Amino acid sequence: MNMPRPIADLICLTRDLVRHPRMVLLNRGHHRWTPAGLIAAAAVASAGTPVGHHVLAAAVLVAGPFWALDMLGALAHGLWQSGRIWSDLECQCCGDDPDDDPVPDEPEDDGGLAADVENWLKTQTTHR
C-alpha cells in the first residue's frame, strides 16, 4: 500500500513513541520546530481576517501536539545532556558513533601521484 509520506511518518512516530518513548524524546530535541513555525505562519496569515481565530485554532489543533512533543524533547535532551536523566541512553543524533568520524584530509599511504609530484617539486631549483 502506498501512502503519502506525511501519513507514513505520523504512523512511524506514533509507533516509535509507544515502543521507545525516551529515544523519541531525545531525537525530538534535535527537531526543527516546524510545528511552531506552522502555528506562527497561520497566526500571521490570519491576523485581521474575520475567520482568523478559526484558522489559528485549526493550526493549533493540527500542529500543537507536535509542538508540545518538540518542547518536551528539547527539555528532555537538555536534562539528558546534563546527566540528570537516562544515563543509560545514547542520543542517535549527537552520539559518538565511530562511523561518524570525518574522513582524514591526507591519504593513508605516502604513495600516489600527489606524493610523486610533491617530491619532484621539492627537488627543483628556481632560476634567478
Side-chain angles (χ1 to χ4, degrees), residues 35-49 51-60 63:
L38 176 69
I39 293 170
V44 169
S46 65
T49 62
V51 293
H53 59 282
H54 294 296
V55 172
L56 184 58
V60 169

Side-chain angles (χ1 to χ4, degrees), residues 116-126:
D116 292 342
V117 170
E118 184 179 345
N119 289 335
W120 181 80
L121 288 173
K122 287 179 183 176
T123 60
Q124 298 301 312
T125 58
T126 57

